[in-house]
Amino acid sequence: FPRAVARGHSRPLATVDARHPTSTSRPAPFSDGSYAAAPHDPAVKLGYRVWPHPSPRPNAPLLLYFHGNGEVCSDYDAFASRFHRLGAHLMVPDYRGYGWSGGEPTLSSLLADAEPLLDSHTLGAAMQSAGVEPEARPVVLFGRSLGSNVATHLAAIAPRGCFAGLILESGIASASAMLSRGAAGALSLAAAGSAGPATAPLAPGGGGRIGILENELKMREVTIPTLVLHGTADTVVPPEQGKALHAASGAQRRRLLLLPGHGHNDIAFSPRYFPAIGEFLERQVCTPTKAEGCQRTA
């Protein structure tokens, strides 16, 4: 994505190897599907994978997980069981041009493509296809690296009660600030190979007032419980970005957890990583009062 930031938001996302660490445990059963990127581009179908919890408790939460730039949803096959141990179902959508999703990956479509997931019927259909009975369940947004932009966007524009929590891992507060400071890693102008504009473009599909990769203003509109995870040794997205996301949050219940010595791609190896997520799900996430009819309003 650095080339897309520097040269224009309709350019394809760059390929960056920024894979999340995976587990060596046996892969959990899964179900694949797709949804339409309607109404702005109904011809494009976006893929996803669901790993239902094998023995869920009533109203088990669903983690709606948006992955990093160098990943696809199938990368989480062996990793899903780690989230099952926390009592959660897992659903990972792919971006356009990733996995079996159609289209070409661009920053201009990144946020709008996720907005159909504001419709509870879309999530309900995905869960039913995975063999999970439809019911009102807490849905927790989870955004890692590039995916933090998508999760934050949905949290900011969603109707009240649509989502029960927000988790941001190695998240981006302001790409323009990183560019202007010449930050090391994937977002530097040197890596982008261009002295393009330092400010990020605006997003389509209801997000015109919010800049792509510019999440501090959006975070002021986020009032659901929020957990921000960041490694202190992250040179791709410096930990100051995580601190800025936490400081900007409008949520009364929010927590910043800095994981010493961990970087962008080994943060999940911290012994505090999964316990922090489990504690957040157990103590902070409340079942939405009405999950049905959770539609985005104009």
Side-chain angles (χ1 to χ4, degrees), residues 5-267:
V5 172
R7 296 186 179 178
H9 62 290
S10 289
R11 299 252 179 200
L13 294 169
T15 299
V16 176
D17 186 12
R19 295 188 182 276
H20 198 286
T22 55
S23 169
T24 57
S25 61
R26 184 177 180 180
F30 59 82
S31 173
D32 293 336
S34 62
Y35 68 92
H40 67 287
D41 200 352
V44 174
K45 303 295 184 182
L46 302 170
Y48 62 79
R49 180 163 289 181
V50 176
W51 296 263
H53 194 289
S55 54
R57 62 185 179 183
N59 296 322
L62 167 64
L63 283 176
L64 183 56
Y65 190 113
F66 297 95
H67 60 66
N69 184 38
E71 303 165 4
V72 292
C73 64
S74 58
D75 288 338
Y76 288 79
D77 281 346
F79 208 56
S81 61
R82 300 295 300 271
F83 292 106
H84 288 167
R85 294 174 198 171
L86 305 181
H89 305 286
L90 178 66
M91 176 177 175
V92 182
D94 265 335
Y95 312 123
R96 66 169 63 202
Y98 282 62
W100 55 89
S101 295
E104 183 180 44
T106 61
L107 282 176
S108 61
S109 63
L110 184 68
L111 303 183
D113 278 353
E115 290 180 1
L117 296 173
L118 291 170
D119 184 348
S120 63
H121 297 294
T122 302
L123 292 179
M127 297 304 291
Q128 276 193 286
S129 68
V132 179
E133 290 298 319
E135 61 181 12
R137 72 178 69 255
V139 178
V140 179
L141 295 164
F142 196 131
R144 161 171 158 75
S145 190
L146 179 67
S148 67
N149 299 279
V150 185
T152 302
H153 176 69
L154 293 184
I157 67 173
R160 183 179 179 85
C162 194
F163 300 113
L166 172 66
I167 302 174
L168 299 176
E169 175 192 325
S170 308
I172 300 166
S174 173
S176 61
M178 293 175 65
L179 291 169
S180 64
R181 294 169 187 167
L187 288 177
S188 68
L189 283 173
S194 171
T199 56
L202 294 180
R209 61 192 171 84
I210 301 172
I212 299 175
L213 305 179
E214 298 297 318
N215 294 313
E216 286 186 89
L217 289 178
K218 256 185 281 192
M219 285 298 290
R220 297 178 187 175
E221 302 179 43
V222 175
T223 58
I224 54 178
T226 299
L227 173 64
V228 178
L229 302 166
H230 220 107
T232 61
D234 193 333
T235 58
V236 177
V237 181
E240 288 72 24
Q241 295 282 304
K243 295 176 183 178
L245 288 170
H246 176 262
S249 174
Q252 291 185 347
R253 292 182 289 170
R254 64 183 188 270
R255 181 188 182 191
L256 170 66
L257 179 59
L258 298 176
L259 299 173
H262 289 275
H264 198 71
N265 297 318
D266 66 353
I267 185 172

